[in-house]
Amino acid sequence: MTHDLPFDDTADRALRHAGDLWAAAAGEAPSADFLARLDARIAEPAAPARVLDLGAMLRRAPALWAAAAALLVVAGLALWNAGQPERVGALAFAKGSVEAPVELRTGTRLAAGADSGAIAMLDGQRIALTLNEQSAVAFAGDDRVRLDSGEAWFDVRPNSGRFVVETAQGTVTVKGTSFGVRVASGATEVTVASGIVELSRGGESVDLRAGEAGEIPAEGPPIRRATGATEPPAWARGLQSQLVSRYYPSGQPGAGS
Amino acid sequence: MPSTPDSPGASPVTAEVFALFRAGDPAAMRPIVAATFPRLLGFARLFVASREVAEEVAQEAYVALWQQRAQITGAESIRPWLFTFAKRRAIRVSSRRAATNEVAFDADALEHVAPAVDGTQRRGLLDAQARRALEEAINALGPRDRELVSLRYFAGLQHKELADALSMPIGSVGVTLGRALEKLRQHLEGRGLSLEDFLP
């Protein structure tokens, strides 16, 4: 018979305990909701890929950005899909009337028209991306977006790894921060509310901290300016509070940034 | 409240359940899910950054298992199949790790686990430094060793199931595992830690 224990019995036991702990922490008995959804999918094998039930996720999770995933989509936004299969996230909230659920995939572009705004949630990184009118964003993955024009506000959860915003002028790299990026007149402007953001172009980079602002100009290296904001601008706060009031009738969820 | 994870040695599926499963009776999925869910969710959680996404991966794995049941030759193939599928799907949906295929012990996955009040107890995974060191040690292994380690200790697969999942001769599972454990030991020792730190 094959000896069932590897060479190092103690090491094996230690790692089995680590694995047990991890499974106990990360795993639970499946929820009734999970089983119900599974039953439904098994009963209809020909059904197309299911759209993530973001409304249910929202009701379960406490923090604003983690729970912001809700049933989606909005008039005033133009969204077209490059057709690639990798899902990067979902559109969580938008101003206007709801048309249909939307999943965001690599290559998806999201553009806001006049008088509209949206919040997108990226999987994995727990990033909430708030867009207003005139913004055009393309998703390169769940940790990378390209901002072609307009402005966007980002809330990136700490310990979620690196996240990058690319613009025509350079890149904005963050880990766990709230910051805004605006592309206008051939320059990229960045404002940081919390955390640390790195602006770079070529081999040059500059770090911005809470309360600082900076720019990647049309030409030349990135620069830091002294003044900045310590909270999101009014337009981003407005959209985020609309999301909260719609999905948290009993009051505010956990801290938003 | 977390329940006790299924024992690594337990077969999740009786012959009766497997017969129903192959015959296309959806009722067979309940015992399969009940027996594998905690481990499957935890395993997926090694590769994706949120519980929600890990649940989606687990759901996809069960649906795929059901849809491809004609391919499953025996009850003992169910777990290797599920975990192999879950790994591939988890890596696909988490592009952050797609290139490297590595594991991560995210602190927030452990936030509901309360360490013992007694400060002398070894904390293992609950200690940030030890957790990071184990993560690095596992990720420093070659991809095949890393897969073997994650399937044995986190998926809880037994030797026969490991041989099945990795297409390796059952006789070499123990030897390969032993060598991987030695590498993990050395890596941790280089950081002033020990695998004994992870003992209960």
Side-chain angles (χ1 to χ4, degrees):
Chain A
M1 286 298 278
T2 304
H3 182 53
D4 198 39
L5 290 174
F7 173 67
D8 188 339
D9 194 12
T10 305
D12 186 66
R13 210 158 41 90
L15 287 172
R16 277 180 28 213
H17 178 70
D20 289 348
L21 181 66
W22 182 260
E28 297 176 355
S31 66
D33 182 54
F34 182 95
L35 293 172
R37 286 186 285 131
L38 182 60
D39 285 346
R41 290 185 71 187
I42 284 173
E44 299 181 24
R50 192 182 56 79
V51 174
L52 189 66
D53 185 354
L54 302 171
M57 282 173 55
L58 182 76
R59 286 187 291 277
R60 285 201 301 269
L64 167 65
W65 44 262
L71 291 175
L72 15 100
V73 183
V74 143
L77 293 175
L79 174 67
W80 63 106
N81 194 318
Q84 298 178 19
E86 299 300 320
R87 181 201 143 94
V88 300
L91 195 58
F93 176 79
K95 231 169 44 165
S97 60
V98 175
E99 284 184 354
V102 169
E103 278 193 324
L104 305 173
R105 300 181 178 279
T106 305
T108 299
R109 278 178 54 81
L110 177 62
D115 237 356
S116 53
I119 299 177
M121 297 297 301
L122 299 192
D123 295 338
Q125 297 291 337
R126 300 207 177 179
I127 295 158
L129 200 166
T130 306
L131 303 167
N132 67 359
E133 61 183 57
Q134 317 301 331
S135 302
V137 168
F139 297 96
D142 68 0
D143 63 357
R144 195 175 196 94
V145 302
R146 185 182 167 84
L147 181 65
D148 290 318
S149 65
E151 33 182 1
W153 186 266
F154 300 86
D155 292 285
V156 179
R157 189 187 188 200
N159 297 319
S160 59
R162 201 187 62 137
F163 175 71
V164 177
V165 182
E166 288 175 5
T167 70
Q169 285 74 42
T171 63
V172 182
T173 304
V174 301
K175 288 186 189 187
T177 163
S178 292
F179 68 105
V181 183
R182 181 161 179 261
V183 176
S185 310
T188 294
E189 298 166 17
V190 178
T191 306
V192 179
S194 68
I196 300 175
V197 168
E198 180 194 86
L199 274 54
S200 54
R201 167 200 256 140
E204 313 257 11
S205 65
V206 68
D207 281 349
L208 302 180
R209 287 173 159 69
E212 295 181 336
E215 170 178 305
I216 312 178
E219 284 175 358
I223 53 176
R224 180 191 297 117
R225 292 197 308 267
T227 55
T230 52
E231 57 176 13
W235 66 263
R237 290 201 312 271
L239 284 168
Q240 290 165 6
S241 72
Q242 284 178 50
L243 166 70
V244 169
S245 61
R246 181 185 282 200
Y247 293 107
Y248 289 94
S250 61
Q252 299 290 319
S257 67
Chain B
M1 283 294 126
S3 57
T4 310
D6 52 301
S7 146
S11 166
V13 177
T14 62
E16 289 82 2
V17 169
F18 184 72
L20 287 175
F21 171 70
R22 280 299 302 261
D25 186 341
M29 287 305 291
R30 280 301 172 103
I32 292 172
V33 171
T36 56
F37 183 81
R39 284 280 174 180
L40 191 60
L41 190 64
F43 183 73
R45 190 67 182 81
L46 292 175
F47 307 105
V48 301
S50 80
R51 188 202 160 78
E52 283 79 12
V53 178
E55 275 202 17
E56 284 305 304
V57 171
Q59 173 110 170
E60 297 288 322
Y62 289 126
V63 171
L65 177 74
W66 174 254
Q67 290 175 343
Q68 297 177 45
R69 58 192 179 275
Q71 292 176 21
I72 312 294
T73 52
E76 68 283 352
S77 301
I78 287 182
R79 291 195 332 158
W81 197 98
L82 271 176
F83 286 100
T84 304
F85 180 94
K87 168 79 176 284
R88 284 201 310 265
R89 179 57 63 113
I91 286 165
R92 253 197 62 191
V93 303
S94 180
S95 66
R96 147 165 89 108
R97 294 170 190 157
T100 55
N101 193 12
E102 292 175 344
V103 304
F105 300 124
D106 290 342
D108 64 338
L110 292 163
E111 66 188 354
H112 298 302
V113 181
V117 174
D118 177 1
T120 63
Q121 184 185 16
R122 285 176 281 237
R123 299 178 72 226
L125 275 187
L126 299 179
D127 178 273
Q129 189 194 8
R131 180 171 66 240
R132 210 161 27 241
L134 182 64
E135 184 181 297
E136 279 177 15
I138 291 175
N139 291 333
L141 296 171
R144 196 138 167 91
D145 279 351
R146 194 184 317 139
E147 188 146 11
L148 183 61
V149 164
S150 64
L151 286 172
R152 171 151 175 94
Y153 300 111
F154 295 92
L157 297 190
Q158 292 297 281
H159 275 41
K160 266 196 78 176
E161 296 173 308
L162 292 169
D164 184 352
L166 292 163
S167 302
M168 65 195 290
I170 189 168
S172 59
V173 171
V175 173
T176 311
L177 206 48
R179 282 201 300 260
L181 287 174
E182 182 55 35
K183 287 183 194 159
L184 291 177
R185 240 193 209 296
Q186 285 172 6
H187 197 280
L188 287 172
E189 266 162 33
R191 301 242 176 322
L193 292 163
S194 159
L195 278 170
E196 275 75 2
D197 292 333
F198 295 88
L199 284 169

